[in-house]
mmCIF file of all heavy atoms in Angstrom:
data_model
loop_
_atom_site.group_PDB
_atom_site.id
_atom_site.type_symbol
_atom_site.label_atom_id
_atom_site.label_comp_id
_atom_site.label_asym_id
_atom_site.label_seq_id
_atom_site.Cartn_x
_atom_site.Cartn_y
_atom_site.Cartn_z
ATOM 1 N N SER A 1467 103.924 118.319 94.745
ATOM 2 C CA SER A 1467 105.164 117.894 95.475
ATOM 3 C C SER A 1467 105.875 116.834 94.662
ATOM 4 O O SER A 1467 105.229 115.921 94.117
ATOM 5 C CB SER A 1467 104.784 117.340 96.851
ATOM 6 O OG SER A 1467 105.937 116.742 97.446
ATOM 7 N N LEU A 1468 107.184 116.969 94.577
ATOM 8 C CA LEU A 1468 107.946 115.991 93.815
ATOM 9 C C LEU A 1468 107.758 114.575 94.381
ATOM 10 O O LEU A 1468 107.822 113.592 93.664
ATOM 11 C CB LEU A 1468 109.429 116.376 93.840
ATOM 12 C CG LEU A 1468 110.327 115.671 92.829
ATOM 13 C CD1 LEU A 1468 109.969 116.020 91.411
ATOM 14 C CD2 LEU A 1468 111.788 115.999 93.100
ATOM 15 N N ASP A 1469 107.484 114.504 95.673
ATOM 16 C CA ASP A 1469 107.316 113.196 96.319
ATOM 17 C C ASP A 1469 106.113 112.438 95.759
ATOM 18 O O ASP A 1469 106.071 111.193 95.821
ATOM 19 C CB ASP A 1469 107.136 113.366 97.821
ATOM 20 C CG ASP A 1469 108.365 113.929 98.503
ATOM 21 O OD1 ASP A 1469 109.464 113.726 97.977
ATOM 22 O OD2 ASP A 1469 108.216 114.618 99.535
ATOM 23 N N ASN A 1470 105.160 113.166 95.225
ATOM 24 C CA ASN A 1470 103.933 112.545 94.710
ATOM 25 C C ASN A 1470 103.911 112.439 93.179
ATOM 26 O O ASN A 1470 102.897 112.038 92.596
ATOM 27 C CB ASN A 1470 102.706 113.355 95.184
ATOM 28 C CG ASN A 1470 102.595 113.383 96.687
ATOM 29 O OD1 ASN A 1470 102.933 112.415 97.366
ATOM 30 N ND2 ASN A 1470 102.110 114.485 97.218
ATOM 31 N N VAL A 1471 105.010 112.781 92.581
ATOM 32 C CA VAL A 1471 105.122 112.723 91.101
ATOM 33 C C VAL A 1471 105.638 111.327 90.702
ATOM 34 O O VAL A 1471 106.596 110.842 91.327
ATOM 35 C CB VAL A 1471 106.050 113.843 90.592
ATOM 36 C CG1 VAL A 1471 106.339 113.650 89.120
ATOM 37 C CG2 VAL A 1471 105.416 115.193 90.845
ATOM 38 N N PRO A 1472 105.053 110.697 89.688
ATOM 39 C CA PRO A 1472 105.558 109.400 89.252
ATOM 40 C C PRO A 1472 107.041 109.422 88.903
ATOM 41 O O PRO A 1472 107.556 110.412 88.408
ATOM 42 C CB PRO A 1472 104.679 109.083 88.012
ATOM 43 C CG PRO A 1472 103.473 109.890 88.209
ATOM 44 C CD PRO A 1472 103.881 111.133 88.919
ATOM 45 N N LYS A 1473 107.703 108.288 89.140
ATOM 46 C CA LYS A 1473 109.145 108.199 88.885
ATOM 47 C C LYS A 1473 109.505 108.504 87.431
ATOM 48 O O LYS A 1473 110.507 109.145 87.160
ATOM 49 C CB LYS A 1473 109.673 106.822 89.263
ATOM 50 C CG LYS A 1473 111.187 106.682 89.111
ATOM 51 C CD LYS A 1473 111.690 105.315 89.472
ATOM 52 C CE LYS A 1473 113.228 105.228 89.417
ATOM 53 N NZ LYS A 1473 113.738 105.549 88.061
ATOM 54 N N GLU A 1474 108.674 108.060 86.516
ATOM 55 C CA GLU A 1474 109.005 108.305 85.109
ATOM 56 C C GLU A 1474 109.014 109.792 84.784
ATOM 57 O O GLU A 1474 109.787 110.264 83.942
ATOM 58 C CB GLU A 1474 108.018 107.567 84.178
ATOM 59 C CG GLU A 1474 106.584 108.027 84.292
ATOM 60 C CD GLU A 1474 105.666 107.346 83.279
ATOM 61 O OE1 GLU A 1474 106.189 106.923 82.200
ATOM 62 O OE2 GLU A 1474 104.467 107.240 83.522
ATOM 63 N N VAL A 1475 108.183 110.553 85.497
ATOM 64 C CA VAL A 1475 108.192 112.005 85.313
ATOM 65 C C VAL A 1475 109.429 112.637 85.954
ATOM 66 O O VAL A 1475 110.064 113.497 85.361
ATOM 67 C CB VAL A 1475 106.912 112.626 85.908
ATOM 68 C CG1 VAL A 1475 106.918 114.152 85.768
ATOM 69 C CG2 VAL A 1475 105.659 112.035 85.228
ATOM 70 N N ARG A 1476 109.797 112.124 87.146
ATOM 71 C CA ARG A 1476 111.000 112.657 87.802
ATOM 72 C C ARG A 1476 112.236 112.381 86.967
ATOM 73 O O ARG A 1476 113.166 113.191 86.913
ATOM 74 C CB ARG A 1476 111.143 112.015 89.195
ATOM 75 C CG ARG A 1476 110.010 112.328 90.150
ATOM 76 C CD ARG A 1476 110.375 112.057 91.610
ATOM 77 N NE ARG A 1476 110.844 110.694 91.836
ATOM 78 C CZ ARG A 1476 110.067 109.674 92.194
ATOM 79 N NH1 ARG A 1476 108.751 109.881 92.316
ATOM 80 N NH2 ARG A 1476 110.557 108.473 92.421
ATOM 81 N N ASP A 1477 112.258 111.248 86.292
ATOM 82 C CA ASP A 1477 113.392 110.933 85.441
ATOM 83 C C ASP A 1477 113.376 111.774 84.164
ATOM 84 O O ASP A 1477 114.413 112.299 83.720
ATOM 85 C CB ASP A 1477 113.391 109.438 85.058
ATOM 86 C CG ASP A 1477 113.673 108.525 86.231
ATOM 87 O OD1 ASP A 1477 114.257 109.008 87.240
ATOM 88 O OD2 ASP A 1477 113.310 107.341 86.150
ATOM 89 N N ALA A 1478 112.199 111.935 83.589
ATOM 90 C CA ALA A 1478 112.060 112.666 82.325
ATOM 91 C C ALA A 1478 112.388 114.147 82.493
ATOM 92 O O ALA A 1478 112.963 114.763 81.604
ATOM 93 C CB ALA A 1478 110.651 112.486 81.772
ATOM 94 N N VAL A 1479 112.000 114.720 83.637
ATOM 95 C CA VAL A 1479 112.208 116.163 83.806
ATOM 96 C C VAL A 1479 113.685 116.490 83.802
ATOM 97 O O VAL A 1479 114.108 117.553 83.281
ATOM 98 C CB VAL A 1479 111.487 116.683 85.049
ATOM 99 C CG1 VAL A 1479 112.118 116.141 86.343
ATOM 100 C CG2 VAL A 1479 111.508 118.197 85.076
ATOM 101 N N LYS A 1480 114.522 115.608 84.324
ATOM 102 C CA LYS A 1480 115.978 115.887 84.348
ATOM 103 C C LYS A 1480 116.541 115.858 82.940
ATOM 104 O O LYS A 1480 117.440 116.642 82.605
ATOM 105 C CB LYS A 1480 116.683 114.884 85.253
ATOM 106 C CG LYS A 1480 116.396 115.115 86.735
ATOM 107 C CD LYS A 1480 117.227 114.227 87.639
ATOM 108 C CE LYS A 1480 116.704 112.793 87.668
ATOM 109 N NZ LYS A 1480 117.395 111.964 88.664
ATOM 110 N N LEU A 1481 115.992 115.014 82.065
ATOM 111 C CA LEU A 1481 116.431 115.020 80.658
ATOM 112 C C LEU A 1481 115.971 116.286 79.967
ATOM 113 O O LEU A 1481 116.679 116.832 79.092
ATOM 114 C CB LEU A 1481 115.888 113.785 79.948
ATOM 115 C CG LEU A 1481 116.503 112.448 80.410
ATOM 116 C CD1 LEU A 1481 115.850 111.281 79.669
ATOM 117 C CD2 LEU A 1481 118.019 112.429 80.185
ATOM 118 N N CYS A 1482 114.766 116.774 80.320
ATOM 119 C CA CYS A 1482 114.326 118.059 79.784
ATOM 120 C C CYS A 1482 115.260 119.185 80.154
ATOM 121 O O CYS A 1482 115.618 120.036 79.322
ATOM 122 C CB CYS A 1482 112.909 118.367 80.281
ATOM 123 S SG CYS A 1482 111.587 117.341 79.628
ATOM 124 N N VAL A 1483 115.675 119.179 81.393
ATOM 125 C CA VAL A 1483 116.584 120.204 81.891
ATOM 126 C C VAL A 1483 117.919 120.111 81.172
ATOM 127 O O VAL A 1483 118.508 121.129 80.714
ATOM 128 C CB VAL A 1483 116.770 120.102 83.413
ATOM 129 C CG1 VAL A 1483 117.863 121.069 83.890
ATOM 130 C CG2 VAL A 1483 115.446 120.380 84.115
ATOM 131 N N LEU A 1484 118.465 118.913 81.066
ATOM 132 C CA LEU A 1484 119.738 118.718 80.393
ATOM 133 C C LEU A 1484 119.692 119.185 78.944
ATOM 134 O O LEU A 1484 120.587 119.908 78.472
ATOM 135 C CB LEU A 1484 120.158 117.239 80.427
ATOM 136 C CG LEU A 1484 121.451 116.888 79.672
ATOM 137 C CD1 LEU A 1484 122.632 117.605 80.271
ATOM 138 C CD2 LEU A 1484 121.672 115.373 79.669
ATOM 139 N N ASP A 1485 118.647 118.810 78.230
ATOM 140 C CA ASP A 1485 118.521 119.199 76.821
ATOM 141 C C ASP A 1485 118.448 120.711 76.724
ATOM 142 O O ASP A 1485 119.121 121.323 75.847
ATOM 143 C CB ASP A 1485 117.271 118.547 76.220
ATOM 144 C CG ASP A 1485 117.215 118.650 74.712
ATOM 145 O OD1 ASP A 1485 118.226 118.281 74.057
ATOM 146 O OD2 ASP A 1485 116.192 119.083 74.163
ATOM 147 N N SER A 1486 117.670 121.346 77.567
ATOM 148 C CA SER A 1486 117.476 122.788 77.483
ATOM 149 C C SER A 1486 118.724 123.561 77.847
ATOM 150 O O SER A 1486 119.105 124.533 77.155
ATOM 151 C CB SER A 1486 116.340 123.224 78.402
ATOM 152 O OG SER A 1486 115.110 122.633 78.013
ATOM 153 N N ILE A 1487 119.423 123.152 78.902
ATOM 154 C CA ILE A 1487 120.620 123.863 79.303
ATOM 155 C C ILE A 1487 121.747 123.669 78.289
ATOM 156 O O ILE A 1487 122.471 124.617 77.942
ATOM 157 C CB ILE A 1487 121.078 123.396 80.699
ATOM 158 C CG1 ILE A 1487 120.103 123.957 81.752
ATOM 159 C CG2 ILE A 1487 122.504 123.863 81.016
ATOM 160 C CD1 ILE A 1487 120.423 123.537 83.174
ATOM 161 N N SER A 1488 121.890 122.481 77.756
ATOM 162 C CA SER A 1488 122.957 122.220 76.777
ATOM 163 C C SER A 1488 122.739 123.025 75.516
ATOM 164 O O SER A 1488 123.700 123.548 74.922
ATOM 165 C CB SER A 1488 123.070 120.731 76.466
ATOM 166 O OG SER A 1488 121.911 120.251 75.794
ATOM 167 N N VAL A 1489 121.505 123.133 75.081
ATOM 168 C CA VAL A 1489 121.204 123.910 73.867
ATOM 169 C C VAL A 1489 121.532 125.390 74.092
ATOM 170 O O VAL A 1489 122.070 126.046 73.225
ATOM 171 C CB VAL A 1489 119.735 123.732 73.478
ATOM 172 C CG1 VAL A 1489 119.302 124.742 72.438
ATOM 173 C CG2 VAL A 1489 119.497 122.318 72.950
ATOM 174 N N ALA A 1490 121.237 125.879 75.311
ATOM 175 C CA ALA A 1490 121.563 127.279 75.627
ATOM 176 C C ALA A 1490 123.072 127.481 75.679
ATOM 177 O O ALA A 1490 123.592 128.480 75.164
ATOM 178 C CB ALA A 1490 120.913 127.677 76.968
ATOM 179 N N LEU A 1491 123.778 126.570 76.336
ATOM 180 C CA LEU A 1491 125.230 126.699 76.431
ATOM 181 C C LEU A 1491 125.877 126.629 75.045
ATOM 182 O O LEU A 1491 126.904 127.265 74.811
ATOM 183 C CB LEU A 1491 125.805 125.621 77.350
ATOM 184 C CG LEU A 1491 125.502 125.773 78.829
ATOM 185 C CD1 LEU A 1491 126.036 124.582 79.618
ATOM 186 C CD2 LEU A 1491 126.107 127.059 79.372
ATOM 187 N N GLY A 1492 125.288 125.842 74.159
ATOM 188 C CA GLY A 1492 125.815 125.758 72.808
ATOM 189 C C GLY A 1492 125.709 127.072 72.061
ATOM 190 O O GLY A 1492 126.405 127.290 71.054
ATOM 191 N N ALA A 1493 124.834 127.968 72.527
ATOM 192 C CA ALA A 1493 124.628 129.266 71.861
ATOM 193 C C ALA A 1493 125.384 130.400 72.527
ATOM 194 O O ALA A 1493 125.253 131.554 72.155
ATOM 195 C CB ALA A 1493 123.146 129.595 71.836
ATOM 196 N N ALA A 1494 126.192 130.079 73.559
ATOM 197 C CA ALA A 1494 126.883 131.128 74.335
ATOM 198 C C ALA A 1494 127.803 131.966 73.432
ATOM 199 O O ALA A 1494 127.977 133.181 73.697
ATOM 200 C CB ALA A 1494 127.694 130.500 75.466
ATOM 201 N N ASP A 1495 128.373 131.370 72.387
ATOM 202 C CA ASP A 1495 129.235 132.132 71.474
ATOM 203 C C ASP A 1495 128.546 132.445 70.137
ATOM 204 O O ASP A 1495 129.207 132.837 69.181
ATOM 205 C CB ASP A 1495 130.513 131.350 71.208
ATOM 206 C CG ASP A 1495 131.457 131.347 72.408
ATOM 207 O OD1 ASP A 1495 131.436 132.349 73.153
ATOM 208 O OD2 ASP A 1495 132.197 130.360 72.590
ATOM 209 N N TYR A 1496 127.265 132.241 70.082
ATOM 210 C CA TYR A 1496 126.487 132.574 68.887
ATOM 211 C C TYR A 1496 126.592 134.078 68.632
ATOM 212 O O TYR A 1496 126.517 134.885 69.553
ATOM 213 C CB TYR A 1496 125.032 132.167 69.136
ATOM 214 C CG TYR A 1496 124.094 132.279 67.949
ATOM 215 C CD1 TYR A 1496 124.280 131.485 66.817
ATOM 216 C CD2 TYR A 1496 123.000 133.130 67.994
ATOM 217 C CE1 TYR A 1496 123.405 131.573 65.757
ATOM 218 C CE2 TYR A 1496 122.104 133.209 66.942
ATOM 219 C CZ TYR A 1496 122.324 132.423 65.820
ATOM 220 O OH TYR A 1496 121.431 132.515 64.747
ATOM 221 N N GLU A 1497 126.837 134.467 67.405
ATOM 222 C CA GLU A 1497 127.187 135.855 67.090
ATOM 223 C C GLU A 1497 126.141 136.858 67.638
ATOM 224 O O GLU A 1497 126.524 137.878 68.257
ATOM 225 C CB GLU A 1497 127.323 136.047 65.584
ATOM 226 C CG GLU A 1497 127.756 137.459 65.220
ATOM 227 C CD GLU A 1497 127.971 137.635 63.711
ATOM 228 O OE1 GLU A 1497 127.662 136.679 62.952
ATOM 229 O OE2 GLU A 1497 128.440 138.724 63.292
ATOM 230 N N LEU A 1498 124.863 136.590 67.430
ATOM 231 C CA LEU A 1498 123.850 137.518 67.888
ATOM 232 C C LEU A 1498 123.874 137.652 69.412
ATOM 233 O O LEU A 1498 123.722 138.723 69.969
ATOM 234 C CB LEU A 1498 122.455 137.081 67.398
ATOM 235 C CG LEU A 1498 121.277 137.964 67.808
ATOM 236 C CD1 LEU A 1498 121.474 139.403 67.351
ATOM 237 C CD2 LEU A 1498 119.980 137.405 67.267
ATOM 238 N N ILE A 1499 124.007 136.516 70.080
ATOM 239 C CA ILE A 1499 124.058 136.528 71.557
ATOM 240 C C ILE A 1499 125.262 137.326 72.034
ATOM 241 O O ILE A 1499 125.193 138.139 72.965
ATOM 242 C CB ILE A 1499 124.111 135.083 72.117
ATOM 243 C CG1 ILE A 1499 122.833 134.316 71.789
ATOM 244 C CG2 ILE A 1499 124.363 135.111 73.630
ATOM 245 C CD1 ILE A 1499 121.571 134.896 72.367
ATOM 246 N N LYS A 1500 126.415 137.123 71.392
ATOM 247 C CA LYS A 1500 127.620 137.882 71.786
ATOM 248 C C LYS A 1500 127.439 139.388 71.573
ATOM 249 O O LYS A 1500 127.849 140.189 72.410
ATOM 250 C CB LYS A 1500 128.842 137.375 70.990
ATOM 251 C CG LYS A 1500 129.347 136.020 71.421
ATOM 252 C CD LYS A 1500 130.769 135.751 70.943
ATOM 253 C CE LYS A 1500 130.805 135.665 69.410
ATOM 254 N NZ LYS A 1500 132.151 135.264 68.936
ATOM 255 N N ASN A 1501 126.792 139.747 70.467
ATOM 256 C CA ASN A 1501 126.560 141.170 70.200
ATOM 257 C C ASN A 1501 125.636 141.775 71.260
ATOM 258 O O ASN A 1501 125.831 142.900 71.724
ATOM 259 C CB ASN A 1501 125.924 141.352 68.825
ATOM 260 C CG ASN A 1501 126.890 141.058 67.708
ATOM 261 O OD1 ASN A 1501 128.115 141.015 67.912
ATOM 262 N ND2 ASN A 1501 126.384 140.793 66.496
ATOM 263 N N ILE A 1502 124.606 141.019 71.659
ATOM 264 C CA ILE A 1502 123.670 141.505 72.667
ATOM 265 C C ILE A 1502 124.364 141.661 74.017
ATOM 266 O O ILE A 1502 124.240 142.688 74.677
ATOM 267 C CB ILE A 1502 122.463 140.537 72.797
ATOM 268 C CG1 ILE A 1502 121.623 140.594 71.518
ATOM 269 C CG2 ILE A 1502 121.600 140.912 74.015
ATOM 270 C CD1 ILE A 1502 120.591 139.488 71.440
ATOM 271 N N THR A 1503 125.096 140.616 74.427
ATOM 272 C CA THR A 1503 125.764 140.713 75.744
ATOM 273 C C THR A 1503 126.864 141.789 75.749
ATOM 274 O O THR A 1503 127.041 142.439 76.793
ATOM 275 C CB THR A 1503 126.357 139.325 76.128
ATOM 276 O OG1 THR A 1503 127.214 138.865 75.071
ATOM 277 C CG2 THR A 1503 125.267 138.301 76.357
ATOM 278 N N ASN A 1504 127.530 141.974 74.645
ATOM 279 C CA ASN A 1504 128.524 143.060 74.568
ATOM 280 C C ASN A 1504 127.898 144.415 74.752
ATOM 281 O O ASN A 1504 128.414 145.302 75.443
ATOM 282 C CB ASN A 1504 129.297 143.000 73.256
ATOM 283 C CG ASN A 1504 130.289 141.856 73.231
ATOM 284 O OD1 ASN A 1504 130.696 141.313 74.242
ATOM 285 N ND2 ASN A 1504 130.690 141.463 72.011
ATOM 286 N N THR A 1505 126.736 144.609 74.103
ATOM 287 C CA THR A 1505 126.008 145.865 74.243
ATOM 288 C C THR A 1505 125.576 146.087 75.682
ATOM 289 O O THR A 1505 125.741 147.162 76.257
ATOM 290 C CB THR A 1505 124.789 145.887 73.308
ATOM 291 O OG1 THR A 1505 125.231 145.823 71.957
ATOM 292 C CG2 THR A 1505 123.970 147.155 73.516
ATOM 293 N N TYR A 1506 125.021 145.040 76.294
ATOM 294 C CA TYR A 1506 124.555 145.128 77.663
ATOM 295 C C TYR A 1506 125.711 145.414 78.614
ATOM 296 O O TYR A 1506 125.578 146.178 79.591
ATOM 297 C CB TYR A 1506 123.856 143.808 78.065
ATOM 298 C CG TYR A 1506 122.419 143.715 77.646
ATOM 299 C CD1 TYR A 1506 121.977 144.213 76.423
ATOM 300 C CD2 TYR A 1506 121.461 143.104 78.468
ATOM 301 C CE1 TYR A 1506 120.656 144.103 76.031
ATOM 302 C CE2 TYR A 1506 120.133 142.992 78.068
ATOM 303 C CZ TYR A 1506 119.746 143.504 76.847
ATOM 304 O OH TYR A 1506 118.417 143.387 76.458
ATOM 305 N N PHE A 1507 126.873 144.819 78.337
ATOM 306 C CA PHE A 1507 128.065 145.020 79.199
ATOM 307 C C PHE A 1507 128.534 146.471 79.089
ATOM 308 O O PHE A 1507 128.818 147.100 80.097
ATOM 309 C CB PHE A 1507 129.164 144.052 78.786
ATOM 310 C CG PHE A 1507 130.347 144.083 79.718
ATOM 311 C CD1 PHE A 1507 130.341 143.386 80.925
ATOM 312 C CD2 PHE A 1507 131.465 144.846 79.406
ATOM 313 C CE1 PHE A 1507 131.440 143.419 81.768
ATOM 314 C CE2 PHE A 1507 132.566 144.885 80.250
ATOM 315 C CZ PHE A 1507 132.551 144.192 81.436
ATOM 316 N N ARG A 1508 128.626 146.961 77.879
ATOM 317 C CA ARG A 1508 129.097 148.344 77.679
ATOM 318 C C ARG A 1508 128.175 149.365 78.350
ATOM 319 O O ARG A 1508 128.633 150.433 78.807
ATOM 320 C CB ARG A 1508 129.231 148.668 76.177
ATOM 321 C CG ARG A 1508 130.393 147.973 75.502
ATOM 322 C CD ARG A 1508 130.668 148.600 74.163
ATOM 323 N NE ARG A 1508 129.529 148.500 73.263
ATOM 324 C CZ ARG A 1508 129.299 147.494 72.436
ATOM 325 N NH1 ARG A 1508 130.159 146.476 72.398
ATOM 326 N NH2 ARG A 1508 128.248 147.475 71.648
ATOM 327 N N MET A 1509 126.901 149.051 78.395
ATOM 328 C CA MET A 1509 125.924 149.979 78.995
ATOM 329 C C MET A 1509 125.762 149.763 80.492
ATOM 330 O O MET A 1509 124.963 150.437 81.140
ATOM 331 C CB MET A 1509 124.572 149.828 78.302
ATOM 332 C CG MET A 1509 124.601 150.234 76.826
ATOM 333 S SD MET A 1509 122.958 150.246 76.068
ATOM 334 C CE MET A 1509 122.217 151.655 76.922
ATOM 335 N N GLY A 1510 126.502 148.808 81.073
ATOM 336 C CA GLY A 1510 126.448 148.575 82.495
ATOM 337 C C GLY A 1510 125.251 147.774 82.975
ATOM 338 O O GLY A 1510 124.980 147.716 84.162
ATOM 339 N N ILE A 1511 124.530 147.183 82.030
ATOM 340 C CA ILE A 1511 123.339 146.401 82.402
ATOM 341 C C ILE A 1511 123.766 145.067 83.039
ATOM 342 O O ILE A 1511 123.092 144.551 83.940
ATOM 343 C CB ILE A 1511 122.454 146.156 81.168
ATOM 344 C CG1 ILE A 1511 121.970 147.506 80.604
ATOM 345 C CG2 ILE A 1511 121.255 145.247 81.517
ATOM 346 C CD1 ILE A 1511 121.261 147.389 79.280
ATOM 347 N N ILE A 1512 124.877 144.544 82.571
ATOM 348 C CA ILE A 1512 125.446 143.332 83.146
ATOM 349 C C ILE A 1512 126.890 143.615 83.523
ATOM 350 O O ILE A 1512 127.499 144.587 83.092
ATOM 351 C CB ILE A 1512 125.411 142.153 82.145
ATOM 352 C CG1 ILE A 1512 126.117 142.525 80.846
ATOM 353 C CG2 ILE A 1512 123.960 141.741 81.895
ATOM 354 C CD1 ILE A 1512 126.145 141.382 79.839
#
């Protein structure tokens, strides 16, 4: 339970999330990612 987790862990986990999401968003226009998503879109997967 988050209620029983030390505060330093609760603070640190949010930085882990921020770092991970920002790195992913930075790759949204990465050429390989765009090629994959375009293929998936054309095939109706997304």
Side-chain angles (χ1 to χ4, degrees):
S1467 169
L1468 194 65
D1469 296 333
N1470 299 326
V1471 171
K1473 184 180 183 301
E1474 63 175 335
V1475 178
R1476 299 198 303 270
D1477 292 340
V1479 67
K1480 289 186 285 186
L1481 292 177
C1482 289
V1483 173
L1484 176 62
D1485 193 51
S1486 298
I1487 288 179
S1488 65
V1489 167
L1491 288 176
D1495 286 330
Y1496 187 64
E1497 183 178 6
L1498 180 57
I1499 296 297
K1500 287 197 295 185
N1501 291 342
I1502 292 168
T1503 54
N1504 286 340
T1505 297
Y1506 278 37
F1507 187 82
R1508 287 195 300 270
M1509 296 187 69
I1511 299 172
I1512 56 178

